[in-house]
Amino acid sequence: MPITFQVLRNRLGPWGSVPAGWKPRRDAVPPLVDMLAAWTGSSSDEEVILGFVPGRIEVFGRHTDYAGGRSIVCAIDRGFLFAATPGGGRRIRIHEDSAEFGPVEFDLDPALVPSVGQWANYPMTMARRLARNFPGRLKGVDIVFSSTLPIGSGMSGSSALMMMVFTALALANGLQESAEFRENIKNAVDLSVYLACVENGQSFRGLEGDAGVGTFGGSEDHAAILNARPGRLSLFGFSPPELQDEVPWPRDWRMVVAFSGVRAEKTRQALEKYNLASRRVRDSVTRFNQLAGTRLSTLREVVDYQPKPEGRGWLRALEGRAADGVGALAPALADRVRQFILEDKTHIPGALAALRAEDLPAFGELVSASHRASKKYLWNIVPEIDYLQRSACRLGAAGASGFGAGFGGSIFTVTSADRAEELMARWRTRYGARYPGRAAESAFFPAQPGPGIEVWTDSGPARFADEIFQA
């Protein structure tokens, strides 16, 4: 699939040759490619890797993936546009086209020490893990990129950034041809779980883990970013990891997304808040095993276990049994399980049925119910997001919900296509009046389900997952 600078420039020349999905990025590509060529001193016949790594919307599945549950997700047409070229040694250099991210340089080294709390933590963690899991065969890359994702928006920008680095390194090195890759990663869902393990530090089959970036998340972000298809919502299960369903998004429905201006960044100071929901899952499973004499691993197994000890009072018994080191969380454990049950057993099945029936009011009500459960049981909804949810519904949206890890970030609303533009304008105006200090950083835009990672080949754009697995 290699393509040269000159061939790429020729392909991008005539407007009609640009595929529909790439037309919004048409004006951004040539300057980025030229910037890479000038920065690296590359000639026109050298290889260039061009790709787009999208953000995602978590439609349903609030903090369910790492608990063994399910998620309904999609990719969106905002994310990281990048151009890269293989380097001559093991050096990685990354440069962004604005001043938001400072340039970074580092080696592909299994002993690399990432800069925790800095944006460089993400690409450095990816490089270190690949150097450990695929020793002795990797060469570095030079990458330039631009981003249309608001920073800290909760649209999985940090995961997308790491996957951008992986995409460039994988294609520059033919990583899928290595024995380590073939033995451990069999398909695109496997790859998404491996990439999540790079982020959270866990091992994946024979590919040994390390410290990760410091967050204890799951793999729904990576599954959406890698596997999503345009015009569809994807249902992923994570115990075991699998793509369970793809449901068409009705043509006359729209999503409108609002970034609150409250950054939901996983910095050093914020890690504890992000990881608390994950800790509550682990402690709930530990408590249940103590109570029932079981050895279950996931919250899904706990919820599905029959018969439950203590009859219908098992949730209260869960809170009442002591466990070392988690006493402070005891009053919250049953609520954490309640949120999982609502999301996995009620909201997700109901949403799938409403999608297939193209029942917008029913779908919207479940979206709003998911938001209320997050606020009540996960404690991750900040006042700005909650105001956006309530104001969207008062303006006539079918439903609205904050999404992602929470503690800031974004919210999406669902509405009919003929009402989307008016709703977005009025929604933005109301938010600006209520939170004028946040208005300058906020962003409102329409969104539709889009494709996962795409890369340019000698025949044009293609799904990265198809290129890796030759689908």
Side-chain angles (χ1 to χ4, degrees), residues 194-213:
Y194 169 69
L195 293 172
C197 289
V198 173
E199 190 166 330
N200 63 35
Q202 296 179 18
S203 297
F204 180 77
R205 296 177 180 156
L207 302 174
E208 186 176 355
D210 58 16
V213 300

mmCIF file of all heavy atoms in Angstrom, residues 194-213:
data_model
loop_
_atom_site.group_PDB
_atom_site.id
_atom_site.type_symbol
_atom_site.label_atom_id
_atom_site.label_comp_id
_atom_site.label_asym_id
_atom_site.label_seq_id
_atom_site.Cartn_x
_atom_site.Cartn_y
_atom_site.Cartn_z
ATOM 1 N N TYR A 194 -6.073 -4.893 22.308
ATOM 2 C CA TYR A 194 -4.629 -4.726 22.564
ATOM 3 C C TYR A 194 -4.283 -3.256 22.752
ATOM 4 O O TYR A 194 -3.541 -2.896 23.683
ATOM 5 C CB TYR A 194 -3.813 -5.323 21.425
ATOM 6 C CG TYR A 194 -2.348 -4.949 21.513
ATOM 7 C CD1 TYR A 194 -1.548 -5.452 22.533
ATOM 8 C CD2 TYR A 194 -1.781 -4.051 20.604
ATOM 9 C CE1 TYR A 194 -0.205 -5.081 22.640
ATOM 10 C CE2 TYR A 194 -0.455 -3.673 20.708
ATOM 11 C CZ TYR A 194 0.336 -4.193 21.726
ATOM 12 O OH TYR A 194 1.649 -3.813 21.842
ATOM 13 N N LEU A 195 -4.806 -2.393 21.888
ATOM 14 C CA LEU A 195 -4.495 -0.967 22.001
ATOM 15 C C LEU A 195 -5.035 -0.378 23.301
ATOM 16 O O LEU A 195 -4.417 0.514 23.891
ATOM 17 C CB LEU A 195 -5.052 -0.228 20.789
ATOM 18 C CG LEU A 195 -4.374 -0.575 19.459
ATOM 19 C CD1 LEU A 195 -5.120 0.054 18.296
ATOM 20 C CD2 LEU A 195 -2.918 -0.145 19.465
ATOM 21 N N ALA A 196 -6.183 -0.871 23.754
ATOM 22 C CA ALA A 196 -6.682 -0.447 25.065
ATOM 23 C C ALA A 196 -5.742 -0.906 26.173
ATOM 24 O O ALA A 196 -5.506 -0.178 27.148
ATOM 25 C CB ALA A 196 -8.085 -0.998 25.296
ATOM 26 N N CYS A 197 -5.185 -2.106 26.020
ATOM 27 C CA CYS A 197 -4.247 -2.614 27.026
ATOM 28 C C CYS A 197 -2.950 -1.805 27.042
ATOM 29 O O CYS A 197 -2.324 -1.654 28.093
ATOM 30 C CB CYS A 197 -3.959 -4.088 26.772
ATOM 31 S SG CYS A 197 -5.351 -5.192 27.154
ATOM 32 N N VAL A 198 -2.537 -1.295 25.891
ATOM 33 C CA VAL A 198 -1.381 -0.392 25.877
ATOM 34 C C VAL A 198 -1.683 0.825 26.754
ATOM 35 O O VAL A 198 -0.843 1.276 27.526
ATOM 36 C CB VAL A 198 -1.055 0.049 24.441
ATOM 37 C CG1 VAL A 198 0.038 1.120 24.440
ATOM 38 C CG2 VAL A 198 -0.634 -1.142 23.592
ATOM 39 N N GLU A 199 -2.912 1.319 26.643
ATOM 40 C CA GLU A 199 -3.282 2.520 27.389
ATOM 41 C C GLU A 199 -3.431 2.247 28.880
ATOM 42 O O GLU A 199 -2.961 3.028 29.706
ATOM 43 C CB GLU A 199 -4.585 3.090 26.816
ATOM 44 C CG GLU A 199 -4.937 4.453 27.354
ATOM 45 C CD GLU A 199 -6.031 5.140 26.544
ATOM 46 O OE1 GLU A 199 -6.140 4.889 25.335
ATOM 47 O OE2 GLU A 199 -6.773 5.942 27.142
ATOM 48 N N ASN A 200 -4.098 1.121 29.237
ATOM 49 C CA ASN A 200 -4.330 0.881 30.662
ATOM 50 C C ASN A 200 -3.230 0.045 31.319
ATOM 51 O O ASN A 200 -3.251 -0.167 32.534
ATOM 52 C CB ASN A 200 -5.703 0.245 30.896
ATOM 53 C CG ASN A 200 -5.856 -1.133 30.251
ATOM 54 O OD1 ASN A 200 -4.922 -1.916 30.183
ATOM 55 N ND2 ASN A 200 -7.070 -1.433 29.788
ATOM 56 N N GLY A 201 -2.281 -0.436 30.522
ATOM 57 C CA GLY A 201 -1.122 -1.125 31.066
ATOM 58 C C GLY A 201 -1.261 -2.628 31.201
ATOM 59 O O GLY A 201 -0.293 -3.303 31.575
ATOM 60 N N GLN A 202 -2.413 -3.198 30.894
ATOM 61 C CA GLN A 202 -2.605 -4.630 31.062
ATOM 62 C C GLN A 202 -1.903 -5.423 29.963
ATOM 63 O O GLN A 202 -1.663 -4.924 28.860
ATOM 64 C CB GLN A 202 -4.091 -4.961 31.071
ATOM 65 C CG GLN A 202 -4.867 -4.358 32.223
ATOM 66 C CD GLN A 202 -6.341 -4.706 32.175
ATOM 67 O OE1 GLN A 202 -6.748 -5.639 31.490
ATOM 68 N NE2 GLN A 202 -7.152 -3.956 32.896
ATOM 69 N N SER A 203 -1.605 -6.662 30.258
ATOM 70 C CA SER A 203 -1.083 -7.573 29.244
ATOM 71 C C SER A 203 -2.220 -8.008 28.326
ATOM 72 O O SER A 203 -3.393 -8.021 28.720
ATOM 73 C CB SER A 203 -0.449 -8.799 29.892
ATOM 74 O OG SER A 203 0.671 -8.435 30.678
ATOM 75 N N PHE A 204 -1.872 -8.374 27.099
ATOM 76 C CA PHE A 204 -2.848 -8.928 26.165
ATOM 77 C C PHE A 204 -2.264 -10.209 25.590
ATOM 78 O O PHE A 204 -1.311 -10.177 24.825
ATOM 79 C CB PHE A 204 -3.176 -7.947 25.042
ATOM 80 C CG PHE A 204 -4.185 -8.482 24.057
ATOM 81 C CD1 PHE A 204 -5.533 -8.508 24.382
ATOM 82 C CD2 PHE A 204 -3.784 -8.974 22.827
ATOM 83 C CE1 PHE A 204 -6.470 -9.029 23.487
ATOM 84 C CE2 PHE A 204 -4.712 -9.483 21.924
ATOM 85 C CZ PHE A 204 -6.060 -9.505 22.256
ATOM 86 N N ARG A 205 -2.825 -11.344 26.043
ATOM 87 C CA ARG A 205 -2.315 -12.645 25.636
ATOM 88 C C ARG A 205 -0.806 -12.697 25.889
ATOM 89 O O ARG A 205 -0.370 -12.463 27.012
ATOM 90 C CB ARG A 205 -2.711 -12.940 24.193
ATOM 91 C CG ARG A 205 -4.235 -13.055 24.023
ATOM 92 C CD ARG A 205 -4.686 -13.283 22.614
ATOM 93 N NE ARG A 205 -6.155 -13.367 22.588
ATOM 94 C CZ ARG A 205 -6.893 -13.119 21.524
ATOM 95 N NH1 ARG A 205 -6.325 -12.803 20.374
ATOM 96 N NH2 ARG A 205 -8.211 -13.196 21.598
ATOM 97 N N GLY A 206 -0.012 -12.963 24.871
ATOM 98 C CA GLY A 206 1.419 -13.071 25.090
ATOM 99 C C GLY A 206 2.165 -11.769 25.006
ATOM 100 O O GLY A 206 3.400 -11.759 25.090
ATOM 101 N N LEU A 207 1.451 -10.649 24.867
ATOM 102 C CA LEU A 207 2.077 -9.328 24.750
ATOM 103 C C LEU A 207 2.046 -8.663 26.124
ATOM 104 O O LEU A 207 1.019 -8.162 26.569
ATOM 105 C CB LEU A 207 1.344 -8.494 23.698
ATOM 106 C CG LEU A 207 1.307 -9.134 22.306
ATOM 107 C CD1 LEU A 207 0.430 -8.326 21.358
ATOM 108 C CD2 LEU A 207 2.716 -9.284 21.738
ATOM 109 N N GLU A 208 3.186 -8.667 26.791
ATOM 110 C CA GLU A 208 3.263 -8.280 28.199
ATOM 111 C C GLU A 208 2.990 -6.800 28.407
ATOM 112 O O GLU A 208 3.421 -5.947 27.634
ATOM 113 C CB GLU A 208 4.648 -8.630 28.741
ATOM 114 C CG GLU A 208 4.796 -8.405 30.233
ATOM 115 C CD GLU A 208 6.153 -8.848 30.750
ATOM 116 O OE1 GLU A 208 6.933 -9.412 29.960
ATOM 117 O OE2 GLU A 208 6.434 -8.599 31.950
ATOM 118 N N GLY A 209 2.263 -6.472 29.489
ATOM 119 C CA GLY A 209 1.894 -5.107 29.806
ATOM 120 C C GLY A 209 2.959 -4.361 30.589
ATOM 121 O O GLY A 209 4.011 -4.896 30.926
ATOM 122 N N ASP A 210 2.627 -3.099 30.855
ATOM 123 C CA ASP A 210 3.510 -2.271 31.670
ATOM 124 C C ASP A 210 2.657 -1.249 32.410
ATOM 125 O O ASP A 210 1.489 -1.519 32.729
ATOM 126 C CB ASP A 210 4.605 -1.624 30.834
ATOM 127 C CG ASP A 210 4.060 -0.747 29.708
ATOM 128 O OD1 ASP A 210 2.858 -0.398 29.748
ATOM 129 O OD2 ASP A 210 4.822 -0.399 28.791
ATOM 130 N N ALA A 211 3.167 -0.060 32.665
ATOM 131 C CA ALA A 211 2.447 0.904 33.495
ATOM 132 C C ALA A 211 1.290 1.587 32.780
ATOM 133 O O ALA A 211 0.381 2.102 33.427
ATOM 134 C CB ALA A 211 3.421 1.965 34.009
ATOM 135 N N GLY A 212 1.287 1.626 31.448
ATOM 136 C CA GLY A 212 0.242 2.349 30.740
ATOM 137 C C GLY A 212 0.344 3.846 30.994
ATOM 138 O O GLY A 212 1.379 4.364 31.414
ATOM 139 N N VAL A 213 -0.759 4.551 30.731
ATOM 140 C CA VAL A 213 -0.757 6.006 30.926
ATOM 141 C C VAL A 213 -1.269 6.404 32.300
ATOM 142 O O VAL A 213 -1.286 7.582 32.651
ATOM 143 C CB VAL A 213 -1.599 6.724 29.844
ATOM 144 C CG1 VAL A 213 -1.054 6.454 28.457
ATOM 145 C CG2 VAL A 213 -3.071 6.346 29.931
#
